[in-house]
Amino acid sequence: MNIEERLQYIAEQPRAYVQGTAEFVNNEWVFFDEEAEEAALVEEMAQQGIELFRYGHWLSGRWQENGTIATDLGIFPLTDGDRIRFRKQLTYAYRQWLASLPNPSFFQYVQWLNHLGFSLYDCLYCYNGLLFAKSSGVNFMIYDNTEQIASVHHYYERGPMPADRFEITFNSGERAICAQIG
């Protein structure tokens, strides 16, 4: 199962989207991020897809140059004040790390991370030793869910019998361990 299929299979992750409103300013559609209070061009943000809030639901679609969003339900023109969102992008190293985990380790890790109050999309930094074709070692991830910061150490061995062990340390000093052997 590739990483795209895995991400589709897991439950919706908290903080997976950048959300805000759209406004037509100086003949261009501008996205105003409600959390970061920053502005960006919708066209630039929508390269990987866009979602529009209509009829009480989020509709996935593709940005059209004429200021419309093409969805499975039809084409919707954007209007000032429309709520839109974009899925956050995962960094290359982190995405590759998630893809490298065996299915049991991946799903157990996601469940454990969610249970601890973190989302896959809370990752700020990832060191992925597997990118250097190391068969054993430690990967490092830093997560921030706006309430806590956590450092995850992933001890791994690859070969005939892959093994994964995860240790997490919170900024409060608390620690936890999760292991998936074989």
Side-chain angles (χ1 to χ4, degrees), residues 9-178:
Y9 187 75
I10 61 174
E12 189 67 41
Q13 294 286 290
R15 297 170 297 284
Y17 294 93
V18 176
Q19 200 166 291
T21 57
E23 289 185 29
F24 197 62
V25 179
N26 296 327
N27 289 328
E28 294 188 288
W29 283 102
V30 179
F31 170 71
F32 290 95
D33 182 336
E34 65 188 30
E35 186 176 312
E37 297 181 3
E38 295 177 356
L41 293 177
V42 171
E43 185 174 1
E44 292 174 4
M45 297 283 297
Q47 292 176 8
Q48 301 296 321
I50 185 172
E51 292 190 18
L52 173 66
F53 193 75
R54 287 281 163 87
Y55 313 121
H57 300 285
W58 288 103
L59 304 176
S60 295
R62 290 175 314 286
W63 175 252
Q64 308 295 302
E65 288 184 24
N66 61 358
T68 61
I69 299 172
T71 72
D72 290 341
L73 297 178
I75 297 176
F76 296 91
L78 207 53
T79 59
D80 275 337
D82 272 346
R83 290 177 48 200
I84 57 175
R85 70 181 187 179
F86 307 95
R87 183 174 287 277
K88 291 180 184 174
Q89 297 301 303
L90 304 175
T91 64
Y92 178 78
Y94 185 54
R95 189 177 191 77
Q96 293 302 113
W97 175 73
L98 289 170
S100 74
L101 292 174
N103 281 337
S105 294
F106 173 82
F107 290 111
Q108 184 173 358
Y109 179 73
V110 171
Q111 183 179 20
W112 180 65
L113 196 63
N114 291 167
H115 174 74
L116 295 171
F118 290 90
S119 160
L120 289 177
Y121 292 89
D122 291 333
C123 185
L124 300 177
Y125 175 78
C126 175
Y127 167 78
N128 181 359
L130 292 163
L131 290 175
F132 306 105
K134 295 182 180 181
S135 60
S136 66
V138 181
N139 296 310
F140 304 94
M141 281 69 61
I142 304 292
Y143 292 89
D144 182 349
N145 69 2
T146 71
E147 294 177 13
Q148 296 185 92
I149 296 175
S151 172
V152 174
H153 295 178
H154 168 231
Y155 298 87
Y156 65 91
E157 290 183 28
R158 294 296 179 257
M161 188 69 104
D164 297 286
R165 178 180 167 166
F166 305 95
E167 294 182 8
I168 191 167
T169 303
F170 301 97
N171 60 309
S172 64
E174 293 178 69
R175 299 180 340 167
I177 295 174
C178 175

